[in-house]
C-alpha cells in the first residue's frame, strides 16, 4: 500500500483531529469513545453501506463481571476470562493485552448499553468451547447485523462524521513515522487528502486477500472465505511499509459449520448441546467440543471437504433462538429423518457405520468414558429420533494476526517503541488468539474489535488532549 512522504507538497483539503479507517464495530466504537473524551473524528468507510466482518458474525461480545451476568447469577472475573483466553491459545498472546481487554470488557459493554442504547443481554443455555462461564453478550436477534445497526444509530445520534464510499489509498507519513493525513478515493476516481493529528486503523485483517492468505495461512488457502471482501490487508501492508512490528500472522478464525450450498453460518451451539459431525463414511472424525475455529481444517480434510451436522429435535428447537439458524431452516438447509435407516438413505451414508457411531455414543454415555478424540457423552444429550442434518463445510472467517500494539492500542515499531500517533484495533491489530487456528476462543474477534476499539478511541483522544495542552 502506498505511503506518501509528508512534505511532498500535496496540500490537505481538510483537517480533523482524528481519522478512523473502517466503519465496522471497531471503528464505530473507537469514534464513540473518542467523542466521549472530547475528540471529534471522521470515520472513513470504503463501502456504500458500513457492514464489515461484524455484520457477518453473530455479534457475540465476551465480557467478564457485567451486571447482565450478575442478574443471571453468573459469577465471573477478568482474571478468569484471561485464564480461559490464554489456556485456549497456549499462552501465546501478550499477557498485557489480554489483561487490558478482559479488565475493560465489562465497562465497555455496559457503557455501550447505558450511553448508546445497545440492547445487550446475556446468551444463556450453553458454554462455547473454552469458556468456563457464560459471558457472551448479544443483541436480541443474535446477529452482527443488528449490533451494527445499533452502533450506526449511536454514531449518528452522537453527531460523528461517517463518510462512505471513501477508500483510503495513501497514508501521509513523515520520515520520523508520524502520520499527518490520508488520501481517500471515491468510486468515480476522484481523490481527497485529509490531514489529521492521529490515525486509528480499524480496517480489519487480510482474509479477503488470496495472496496473503496463501502466504500466512497455507492450510486454509483453498477454504471458502466467509468474511468481508474489504479485508484486503491494508493495515498490514501499511504497517509493513512503515516498519511496524507484525505478530501472529498465522492466527485466524475459521469455522467448521457453514451450511452448503446456502452459505449460512450454523451456530456451534448445535454441537455444544449434543450434536455431532459425520463424514461421508458415517463416522465422527473429531472432538466437536474442541473449538469451531480449528474445526474448519478438520472438516476440509474429510472426503469432499464436507460433513454433516447431526442433531435432534431438542437441539433444533433451541437453535431456533438464532436468526442465522432460522434463516438456514427456512432456506431448506435442515433435513429431517424419522430413523437412522431413513437418514442413511437420504444422506447416502453407510447404514452399518451410522449404527456403529450411535452405538459408540450410547456406550460412552453408559460408561462415562471418553472417545478416541477426548469427547465424553451424557445420557441426557444422546440424540433421539427424529434426527436433523445439515451439510456443512469449513470456512475462513477472518484473520487474527496483525500490527503489534501495546495496552494503549498504540502501534509498535520493530524496535518495540510506539509510533507517535498511530493506533490499531480489531482485525488490523494482533489479537489474543495465539499464532494458529486452534487458539481462537469464541468471541475473541469482537473482543478485540469492540473493547480494543474503545481503548484506541479513548487513548487517541487522551493523547491529543495532552498534545494540545503542551
Amino acid at each position: 500500500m502506498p505511503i506518501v512522504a509528508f512534505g511532498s507538497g500535496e496540500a490537505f483539503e481538510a483537517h480533523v483531529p482524528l481519522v478512523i479507517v473502517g466503519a465496522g464495530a471497531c471503528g464505530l466504537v473507537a469514534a464513540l469513545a473518542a467523542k466521549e473524551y472530547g475528540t471529534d473524528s471522521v470515520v472513513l468507510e470504503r463501502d456504500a453501506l458500513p457492514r464489515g466482518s461484524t455484520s457477518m458474525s453473530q455479534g457475540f461480545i465476551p465480557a467478564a463481571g457485567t451486571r447482565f451476568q450478575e442478574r443471571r447469577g453468573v459469577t465471573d472475573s477478568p482474571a478468569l476470562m484471561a485464564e480461559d483466553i490464554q489456556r485456549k491459545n497456549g499462552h501465546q498472546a501478550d499477557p498485557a493485552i489480554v489483561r487490558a481487554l478482559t479488565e475493560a470488557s465489562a465497562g465497555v459493554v455496559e457503557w455501550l448499553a447505558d450511553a448508546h442504547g445497545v440492547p445487550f443481554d446475556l446468551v444463556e443455555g450453553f458454554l462455547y468451547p473454552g469458556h468456563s462461564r457464560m459471558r457472551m453478550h448479544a443483541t436480541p436477534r443474535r446477529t452482527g447485523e443488528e449490533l451494527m445497526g445499533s452502533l450506526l444509530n449511536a454514531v449518528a445520534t452522537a453527531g460523528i462524521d461517517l463518510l462512505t464510499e471513501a477508500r483510503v489509498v495513501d497514508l501521509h507519513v513523515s520520515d520520523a513515522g508520524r502520520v499527518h493525513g490520508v488520501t481517500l478515493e471515491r468510486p468515480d476516481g476522484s481523490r481527497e487528502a485529509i490531514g489529521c493529528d492521529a490515525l486509528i486503523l480499524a480496517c480489519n485483517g487480510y482474509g479477503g486477500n488470496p495472496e496473503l492468505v496463501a502466504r500466512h495461512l497455507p492450510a486454509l488457502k483453498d477454504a471458502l472465505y466467509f468474511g468481508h471482501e474489504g479485508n484486503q490487508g491494508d493495515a498490514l501492508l501499511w504497517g509493513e511499509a512503515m516498519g511496524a512490528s507484525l505478530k501472529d500472522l498465522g492466527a485466524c478464525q475459521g469455522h467448521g459449520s457453514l451450511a452448503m450450498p446456502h452459505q449460512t453460518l450454523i451456530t456451534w451451539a448445535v454441537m455444544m448441546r449434543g450434536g455431532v459431525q459425520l463424514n461421508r463414511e458415517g463416522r465422527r472424525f473429531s472432538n466437536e467440543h474442541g473449538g469451531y475455529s480449528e474445526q474448519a481444517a478438520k472438516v476440509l480434510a474429510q472426503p469432499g471437504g464436507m460433513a454433516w451436522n447431526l442433531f435432534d429435535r431438542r437441539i433444533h428447537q433451541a437453535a431456533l433462538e438464532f436468526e442465522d439458524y432460522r434463516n438456514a431452516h427456512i432456506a431448506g438447509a435442515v433435513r429431517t429423518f424419522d430413523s437412522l435407516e431413513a437418514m442413511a438413505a437420504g444422506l447416502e451414508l453407510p447404514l452399518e457405520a451410522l449404527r456403529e457411531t450411535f452405538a459408540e455414543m450410547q456406550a460412552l454415555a453408559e460408561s462415562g468414558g471418553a472417545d478416541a478424540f477426548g469427547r465424553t457423552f451424557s445420557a441426557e444429550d444422546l440424540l433421539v429420533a427424529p434426527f436433523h442434518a445439515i451439510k456443512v463445510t469449513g470456512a475462513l472467517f477472518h484473520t487474527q494476526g496483525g500490527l503489534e500494539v501495546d495496552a494503549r492500542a498504540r502501534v509498535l515499531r520493530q524496535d518495540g517503541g510506539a509510533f507517535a500517533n498511530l493506533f490499531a484495533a480489531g482485525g488490523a491489530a494482533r489479537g489474543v488468539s495465539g499464532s494458529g487456528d486452534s487458539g481462537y476462543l469464541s468471541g475473541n474477534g469482537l473482543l478485540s474489535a469492540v473493547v480494543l476499539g474503545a481503548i484506541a478511541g479513548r487513548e487517541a483522544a487522551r493523547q491529543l488532549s495532552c498534545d494540545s495542552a503542551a
Side-chain angles (χ1 to χ4, degrees):
M1 298 296 292
I3 299 289
V4 178
F6 182 70
S8 61
E10 185 174 358
F12 294 118
E13 297 159 62
H15 184 278
V16 294
L18 175 63
V19 166
I20 300 171
V21 182
C26 181
L28 298 179
V29 172
L32 290 169
K35 186 79 170 181
E36 180 105 343
Y37 283 82
T39 294
D40 291 326
S41 64
V42 61
V43 185
L44 304 178
E45 169 59 40
R46 55 166 277 164
D47 295 336
L49 177 66
R51 297 179 69 248
S53 295
T54 304
S55 68
M56 305 181 75
S57 73
Q58 292 183 322
F60 288 10
I61 304 171
T66 69
R67 67 169 184 267
F68 302 101
Q69 290 175 301
E70 184 178 358
R71 289 172 184 169
R72 297 293 187 269
V74 176
T75 301
D76 198 5
S77 70
L80 185 57
M81 181 174 167
E83 184 180 328
D84 288 346
I85 290 172
Q86 293 287 55
R87 184 188 307 110
K88 188 69 168 67
N89 66 41
H91 297 271
Q92 294 180 337
D94 183 344
I97 301 298
V98 174
R99 183 169 57 252
L101 295 185
T102 55
E103 290 180 352
S105 61
V108 170
V109 165
E110 292 183 358
W111 162 66
L112 288 173
D114 297 340
H116 299 292
V118 181
F120 287 122
D121 61 19
L122 186 67
V123 179
E124 297 183 272
F126 63 96
L127 288 173
Y128 272 101
H131 284 282
S132 60
R133 298 289 188 275
M134 287 184 289
R135 59 171 67 104
M136 294 297 183
H137 296 74
T139 53
R141 285 167 43 203
R142 307 291 193 253
T143 67
E145 183 180 8
E146 184 180 36
L147 174 60
M148 279 295 296
S150 296
L151 294 175
L152 286 167
N153 287 338
V155 164
T157 300
I160 295 169
D161 291 327
L162 170 58
L163 300 184
T164 58
E165 297 186 308
R167 184 171 70 93
V168 175
V169 292
D170 297 327
L171 303 189
H172 298 256
V173 183
S174 71
D175 291 340
R178 176 175 284 273
V179 178
H180 290 271
V182 303
T183 294
L184 62 88
E185 184 177 81
R186 297 292 193 174
D188 62 3
S190 62
R191 294 192 171 196
E192 179 181 352
I194 300 177
C196 65
D197 300 314
L199 176 68
I200 297 176
L201 297 177
C203 43
N204 214 286
Y206 63 86
N209 186 320
E211 180 182 343
L212 292 177
V213 170
R215 184 190 312 172
H216 300 298
L217 302 171
L220 294 176
K221 64 183 178 63
D222 296 323
L224 177 68
Y225 175 57
F226 192 69
H228 191 267
E229 63 182 12
N231 298 340
Q232 293 296 315
D234 294 352
L236 181 68
L237 296 172
W238 281 322
E240 189 173 39
M242 292 175 65
S245 175
L246 311 176
K247 292 287 188 179
D248 295 338
L249 297 185
C252 66
Q253 184 215 335
H255 206 294
S257 188
L258 188 70
M260 293 298 290
H262 312 80
Q263 294 195 20
T264 300
L265 174 64
I266 304 300
T267 172
W268 205 244
V270 167
M271 296 298 121
M272 300 310 296
R273 291 182 185 273
V276 296
Q277 287 192 322
L278 306 184
N279 59 22
R280 286 181 173 176
E281 298 168 353
R283 308 285 186 186
R284 292 178 51 247
F285 51 88
S286 66
N287 179 353
E288 297 90 347
H289 289 182
Y292 57 72
S293 180
E294 57 266 45
Q295 195 72 6
K298 295 174 183 176
V299 170
L300 289 169
Q302 301 310 303
M306 58 78 62
W308 290 99
N309 282 0
L310 181 59
F311 48 106
D312 61 13
R313 178 171 292 171
R314 170 184 60 85
I315 299 172
H316 167 74
Q317 291 297 328
L320 289 171
E321 169 190 0
F322 298 87
E323 184 170 298
D324 286 340
Y325 182 85
R326 296 197 299 271
N327 291 338
H329 184 232
I330 293 169
V334 184
R335 301 178 63 179
T336 305
F337 304 95
D338 291 330
S339 65
L340 289 182
E341 292 76 12
M343 184 162 59
L347 303 183
E348 298 182 350
L349 300 177
L351 177 58
E352 191 57 35
L354 198 57
R355 285 173 171 163
E356 290 175 1
T357 296
F358 269 72
E360 180 189 30
M361 292 189 290
Q362 178 71 44
L364 289 169
E366 293 173 355
S367 69
D371 63 16
F373 310 112
R375 178 173 172 180
T376 59
F377 290 83
S378 62
E380 57 267 26
D381 287 340
L382 288 177
L383 306 181
V384 297
F387 304 108
H388 298 272
I390 304 175
K391 184 179 182 180
V392 298
T393 191
L396 170 63
F397 274 43
H398 55 81
T399 56
Q400 289 283 293
L403 305 176
E404 185 178 9
V405 296
D406 63 12
R408 295 171 56 190
R410 300 181 302 175
V411 177
L412 300 181
R413 302 173 183 270
Q414 293 176 7
D415 63 7
F419 285 92
N421 63 343
L422 180 62
F423 300 80
R430 176 195 188 187
V432 291
S433 298
S435 61
D437 66 346
S438 63
Y440 185 85
L441 185 67
S442 181
N444 274 3
L446 278 177
L447 176 67
S448 293
V450 172
V451 180
L452 192 59
I455 291 173
R458 177 192 69 198
E459 293 298 329
R462 284 179 173 175
Q463 179 173 309
L464 293 179
S465 177
C466 291
D467 289 347
S468 63

